[in-house]
Amino acid sequence: MDRAALDAAYNNAAAVADSPQIVAGWEARSARLRAAHPEGMDLRYGPDERNRIDYFAARRDGPVLAFIHGGYWQNRAKELFAFVAEGPLAWGINVALIGYTLAPQKRLDGIVAEIHASLDWLHAGIGMLGGDQARLFVAGWSAGGHLTAMAMGHPAVKAGLAISGIYDLEPMRLSYINDKLRLDEAEAQRNSPMVVAITDKPLFVAYGADELPELCRQSEDYAKLLGRKAAPVPRRNHFTVLEELASPHGALTALVRRL
C-alpha cells in the first residue's frame, strides 16, 4: 500500500459513518455509571495527570478486570469508556479503567511503561479496593487491545481479552497515525506484540466481523501466531463491538466470564 491507501485502511472513524453519534452515546452512558460510583474515581497510580484509575466495585473478593481504552494512543480517555463495565459488573466482576498519557506528550515506550505501572499499583491495592489479588485480568480495545497484549508479560496478570487491536506496528509507523506517535523502526519493533508479546497465558483475540480488513487481518495474524483462533463477532464494526462487553449477555462479556 502507498501512504494514502494505508491511511484509509486504518481510519476506523471514516469507515463507520455514525461513529460520532455512537461515541456521544458512550459519553452519556459512562457519565451515569461514573456518577453512581464516585468513591472509586480518579485513583492515582503515578505522577502524570492521566495516571489515574476508575474502579467500579461489584463484589468483595471478586475478580478484577482492568480495561485499557483506545484512540490510537493519542485520543480519548478512560472516562468515555465506563459504559463497558456494565457487562462484567452484572456478573460480580470488579472493573478498573486505566488512564494513560497520550502521544505526542509521551512516546509509546512510555505509554507501555505506564500500563505496567498501573498494574503494579492495582495489584498492590486490590485487597484495599475489595477485589481478589490473585485474579487480575486485562482487557482493552483498539490501541487498548495492543496495550493488553503488551501487558500479558506482567506477573500479576492471569489472562486477557484483546479487542480490535493492533499487533504489528509497522503500518502505524508508515501511516498518518505516526504524525503524533513518532515511531521509528526500532520502537515499532520493540512494541509490536507480533514480535515481543508471545504469551502462554490465556488470551482471547476478538474483533468485529464488519471491521476494516486490516483490523481483521491484524487480529487473525496475531491469534494464529499464538496458536489460537481469533473470535470474530458477527455484525459488529470497530465501534459497535464494544456493545458486546457493555451487555451482561454480550459475546465479549461471555469471553471475560470464561477467563
Side-chain angles (χ1 to χ4, degrees):
M1 296 183 188
D2 61 18
R3 169 69 183 256
L6 201 57
D7 286 355
Y10 283 94
N11 193 331
N12 294 299
V16 180
D18 60 344
S19 59
Q21 291 77 21
I22 292 172
V23 173
W26 293 355
E27 188 171 15
R29 292 157 64 189
S30 294
R32 288 193 294 269
L33 190 62
R34 295 183 84 247
H37 293 263
E39 68 285 349
M41 300 301 98
D42 288 322
L43 306 176
R44 181 171 288 282
Y45 70 81
D48 291 334
E49 176 59 30
R50 283 176 171 251
N51 292 169
R52 300 171 188 267
I53 288 172
D54 290 345
Y55 187 83
F56 299 87
R59 176 166 58 89
R60 184 152 193 89
D61 296 326
V64 177
L65 178 70
F67 182 85
I68 310 169
H69 73 81
Y72 276 144
W73 308 273
Q74 57 195 268
N75 295 302
R76 311 204 191 280
K78 64 176 174 55
E79 290 81 1
L80 179 62
F81 293 88
F83 78 100
V84 303
E86 293 181 312
L89 288 173
W91 296 99
I93 300 167
N94 306 298
V95 179
L97 268 67
I98 297 173
Y100 55 91
T101 306
L102 302 179
Q105 186 175 350
K106 187 156 287 193
R107 296 187 69 97
L108 193 53
D109 285 333
I111 292 172
V112 171
E114 284 189 347
I115 297 303
H116 279 256
S118 73
L119 294 169
D120 289 341
W121 184 92
L122 191 57
H123 181 248
I126 281 177
M128 178 185 66
L129 293 169
D132 182 352
Q133 191 179 47
R135 291 188 290 167
L136 175 61
F137 303 85
V138 180
W141 167 78
S142 198
H146 161 268
L147 294 170
T148 293
M150 296 296 289
M152 294 305 293
H154 192 284
V157 171
K158 301 303 179 186
L161 169 62
I163 308 162
S164 305
I166 301 294
Y167 309 104
D168 173 12
L169 294 183
E170 185 64 4
M172 305 296 97
R173 189 176 73 86
L174 300 174
S175 72
Y176 77 98
I177 295 158
N178 208 37
D179 293 347
K180 289 185 177 179
L181 278 184
R182 300 173 298 170
L183 291 169
D184 57 30
E185 187 173 0
E187 189 176 23
Q189 284 287 300
R190 65 178 173 262
N191 288 289
S192 285
M194 292 282 290
V195 178
V196 300
I198 311 304
T199 179
D200 292 328
K201 295 178 182 177
L203 175 64
F204 288 122
V205 180
Y207 63 94
D210 292 342
E211 297 205 42
L212 286 165
E214 273 294 283
L215 271 293
C216 300
R217 181 192 65 79
Q218 287 256 358
S219 290
E220 290 287 348
D221 285 355
Y222 186 49
K224 183 177 180 181
L225 187 66
L226 296 175
R228 303 163 198 180
K229 286 190 175 181
V233 182
R235 299 180 299 280
R236 292 298 192 183
N237 61 44
H238 190 70
F239 294 87
T240 59
V241 70
L242 284 181
E243 296 301 330
E244 301 293 334
L245 185 57
S247 168
H249 303 291
L252 298 181
T253 301
L255 293 180
V256 169
R257 292 179 65 206
R258 285 176 60 186
L259 292 175

